[in-house]
Structures are given as C-alpha cells and as structure tokens.
Amino acid sequence: MKIIVLDGFALNPGDLSWDGLRSLGDVTVYERTADTEILNRAVDADILITNKTPLSAQTIAGLPTLKYIGVLATGYNVVDVNAAKERGIPVTNIPTYGTASVAQMVFSHILHLTQHVKEHSDTVYAGEWERSIDFCYWNYPLIELAGKTIGIIGFGRIGQKVAQIARAFSMKIIAYDAFSEKMDPSLAEFVDIDTVFRDSDIVSLHCPLFADTEGIVNEERLKSMRSTAFLINTSRGPLVDELALTTALNNGVIAGAGLDVVSTEPILKDNPLLMAKNCFITPHIAWATAEARGRLLDTAVSNVEDFINGTPANVVNS
Ligand code: NAI
C-alpha cells in the first residue's frame, strides 16, 4: 500500500514517530502540501492522510488509485466526503483525543484573565516591585472563581470536562446544548442560550461550527452579557462575530476574551481582534499537547490498520 501524508508537520514536528504508519506500507510524509502540488504527490497513492490540506471533489477525481482518506483531526470539513463516498472511498476522522487538553486551555485563558500572571511577572522584572512603596500591588482586577457562574454552550465531551474542572473551583455551572433534554441534569443547570449569555460571569463555547451556530456570539448577545464577563472560545472562530466582539471589548460592554481560534487561520493582519482591549489569542494550540497529539497519531494509525484489515473504523461518510 502506498501511503502519502500530505501535511504531517502540525501533528508531528519531530517529537513523535511515524514508525507505526511505516509498518503498514510504503509511507511518504510531506510536511506541507500546497493545493497545486496535491495531484503530483498523490497520483499513485492508495491511502491519503490529510490534516488541513483540502481534498475537493475535483482533486479526488484526479486520484485514480485512491482507496482511503484519513483525516488527522476531529473536523473533516477539508474533505469532500460525498465525492469520496461516490467513489466508495471511506473517510475517517479522530473522534476524540484532545478533550483534557482543550479543557485545560480553557482554564489557562480563564486563569490568565482573572490573575494576569504574565503581565504581573513582567512588571516585577521591569523593576516595578522594587520601586513599590507597598509590599504588593496589582495592575488588573484580581478575580476569584469560587461562586462565579460559568456558562457552557455545547455540553459534549469538552464542555463536560470544563464543567468538571469548574466544579473543582466551586463555580456555578449553567449550560445550553441543542440536545440538553438527553443530558444528566446533575452535571449542570440547563437553560436557554440567551440565559447563558445574560447570567454568566464567563461564557465558554464548545459547540461545533454548523450553519446554525455560525455567529452565535453577535452584537445583541454581547450586549446582554455582564460588563464584567469574559468570553472564552476554544471551539471554532466563526462562532463569533469578531467585529462585534472587538467593539464590545473596546467599549467595555464585556471585560475580556480568551481565544484559541479565529475566523481565518492563520490570523489575518487586519483581524479586528488584534486591536481589541483585554483580548488574548493563542494560535489554535488547545489540541496540541504532546500527549493529545500522541493519542491522535495512535488513532490515525489504527484507523489505517482497521481499513487494511477490512474493518474500517471512525468512518464519517458511510
Ligand atoms: P462533542 O461532539 O462531544 O460536543 C459538542 C456538543 O455541542 C454536543 O453535545 C452537541 O449536542 C452540542 N451542539 C450541537 N449543535 C449545537 C447547537 N446548535 N447549540 C448548542 N450545542 C450544540 O464535541 P467536543 O469533542 O466537545 O468538541 C467541541 C468542539 O471543540 C469541536 O466541535 C471543535 O470545534 C472544538 N475543538 C477545538 C480544538 C482546539 O484545538 N481548539 C480541538 C478539538 C476540538
């Protein structure tokens, strides 16, 4: 089997091993592949592995020997899964690997917004503590999480993990999920989406990006939030109207935001959020701890193995 990895670098910049995949066939790993290079590189591939390199219907049609597509992520919107299905090509994803890591990033942003460890440390190294007439000082409001309300939108794997951590901080948990009637009411108080925005000190987004969730954080909902509230988005950038969020942050409509994802990635130079007050952005790394990437690669290898053995798993287009 000829196996081509189109864009292996983001998953494995060198600290993981491709040996598991190599044991299953003749493997070529490309760090990145431009759209114009796909057909050349994959023309005789049996198995194609992609993370974010798009595989359109036209590209799939140009790959006559292709038998399987493995996506190195949970989201598989980069592949035209229907075009693959028409050719009888299974497309697989990695349904879960990063739950703990993403929930940890949510609290990295929350703890940063509530205590500003980095900014305070920077002032110490800049000599501000030496010059202080008091034994301590703080340059940002310091906020205790105990007793605060976290509002979770999308109460799936990551949302529930965030709730579990929030409980350890003695926070009150409210949540909105499209399927909340099927969920355990002991895990959160389920409310409607507008109540989440109105009644939370922190709103954290954990629903997938669908047509009906795009822009769920809009001007009106931001205006309904507490002026002391924070928004956390580790899910997908287009859930948020970025211009509306920038305006809300710059006008004190809400107090801060912690974002791991933006509408276009890598971020564009003119993304308005780069000019927003008390807004902190990480470059889509919530998934990328070494542990989570290791789990992802193990699942990707076992997906290929299952396919070769005639028992494909994690197929998203059956
Ligand atoms: P999940 O599928 O376990 O949970 C998603 C939840 O959202 C489900 O409970 C579902 O019922 C709910 N939902 C669906 N439509 C909804 C709607 N219209 N309104 C409210 N809730 C709705 O997914 P999981 O594993 O918790 O991941 C959540 C999201 O996190 C993913 O869709 C992905 O966008 C994002 N993610 C981000 C990563 C990062 O590195 N920043 C890494 C992994 C996932």
Side-chain angles (χ1 to χ4, degrees), residues 97 102 153-159 176-179 183 206-208 210 212-213 234-236 260-261 284-287:
Y97 65 92
V102 178
I153 295 181
F155 206 67
R157 286 178 289 251
I158 297 171
Y176 167 74
D177 191 285
F179 301 95
M183 292 177 170
H206 301 291
C207 57
F210 292 140
D212 67 332
T213 56
T234 58
S235 189
R236 285 291 178 265
D260 187 55
V261 286
H284 202 147
I285 52 171
W287 68 285

Side-chain angles (χ1 to χ4, degrees), residues 56-122:
S56 64
Q58 202 187 353
T59 303
I60 292 168
L63 300 172
T65 60
L66 189 61
K67 299 174 184 64
Y68 167 96
I69 297 171
V71 181
L72 296 171
T74 309
Y76 47 86
N77 50 303
V78 295
V79 180
D80 189 325
V81 292
N82 292 325
K85 187 176 174 184
E86 277 168 27
R87 279 263 311 275
I89 298 171
V91 179
T92 63
N93 76 336
I94 317 290
T96 173
Y97 65 92
T99 303
S101 292
V102 178
Q104 184 177 320
M105 178 58 96
V106 169
F107 276 86
S108 297
H109 275 290
I110 291 174
L111 294 173
H112 178 239
L113 285 162
T114 54
Q115 262 132 344
H116 290 272
V117 170
K118 167 80 166 76
E119 287 83 356
H120 282 117
S121 174
D122 285 349

Side-chain angles (χ1 to χ4, degrees), residues 167-188:
R167 202 165 297 114
F169 276 105
S170 304
M171 299 182 77
K172 178 179 174 195
I173 298 145
I174 62 175
Y176 167 74
D177 191 285
F179 301 95
S180 59
E181 72 283 355
K182 294 185 188 144
M183 292 177 170
D184 179 351
S186 71
L187 298 178

Side-chain angles (χ1 to χ4, degrees), residues 38-290:
I38 302 172
L39 288 182
N40 237 351
R41 289 183 171 181
V43 69
D44 55 351
D46 300 296
I47 290 180
L48 207 48
I49 309 287
T50 178
N51 188 334
K52 296 288 177 282
T53 305
L55 295 175
S56 64
Q58 202 187 353
T59 303
I60 292 168
L63 300 172
T65 60
L66 189 61
K67 299 174 184 64
Y68 167 96
I69 297 171
V71 181
L72 296 171
T74 309
Y76 47 86
N77 50 303
V78 295
V79 180
D80 189 325
V81 292
N82 292 325
K85 187 176 174 184
E86 277 168 27
R87 279 263 311 275
I89 298 171
V91 179
T92 63
N93 76 336
I94 317 290
T96 173
Y97 65 92
T99 303
S101 292
V102 178
Q104 184 177 320
M105 178 58 96
V106 169
F107 276 86
S108 297
H109 275 290
I110 291 174
L111 294 173
H112 178 239
L113 285 162
T114 54
Q115 262 132 344
H116 290 272
V117 170
K118 167 80 166 76
E119 287 83 356
H120 282 117
S121 174
D122 285 349
T123 67
V124 173
Y125 283 91
E128 198 170 328
W129 202 8
E130 284 162 52
R131 294 189 296 274
S132 171
I133 50 172
D134 297 308
F135 81 96
C136 72
Y137 61 90
W138 54 91
N139 297 346
Y140 297 84
L142 301 173
I143 299 160
E144 185 175 76
L145 289 178
K148 298 289 187 300
T149 298
I150 187 165
I152 297 172
I153 295 181
F155 206 67
R157 286 178 289 251
I158 297 171
Q160 291 181 35
K161 189 75 189 169
V162 167
Q164 194 187 343
I165 300 170
R167 202 165 297 114
F169 276 105
S170 304
M171 299 182 77
K172 178 179 174 195
I173 298 145
I174 62 175
Y176 167 74
D177 191 285
F179 301 95
S180 59
E181 72 283 355
K182 294 185 188 144
M183 292 177 170
D184 179 351
S186 71
L187 298 178
E189 181 188 332
F190 291 102
V191 295
D192 63 71
I193 188 164
D194 291 320
T195 304
V196 171
F197 281 92
R198 202 185 55 233
D199 289 358
S200 299
D201 297 296
I202 297 167
V203 172
S204 193
L205 306 179
H206 301 291
C207 57
L209 176 62
F210 292 140
D212 67 332
T213 56
E214 186 167 348
I216 50 167
V217 182
N218 55 26
E219 184 184 350
E220 198 186 334
R221 292 218 167 100
L222 287 160
K223 280 188 174 151
S224 76
M225 289 172 74
R226 296 176 176 171
S227 60
T228 50
F230 299 134
L231 176 75
I232 307 293
N233 186 11
T234 58
S235 189
R236 285 291 178 265
L239 296 176
V240 177
D241 176 337
E242 294 179 335
L243 196 54
L245 176 58
T246 304
T247 307
L249 288 164
N250 288 344
N251 294 334
V253 174
I254 68 166
L259 312 171
D260 187 55
V261 286
V262 294
S263 55
T264 302
E265 297 173 355
I267 196 166
L268 300 177
K269 203 162 75 180
D270 60 357
N271 188 311
L273 289 165
L274 292 169
M275 306 297 280
K277 260 195 229 163
N278 215 21
C279 182
F280 299 92
I281 306 174
T282 45
H284 202 147
I285 52 171
W287 68 285
T289 63

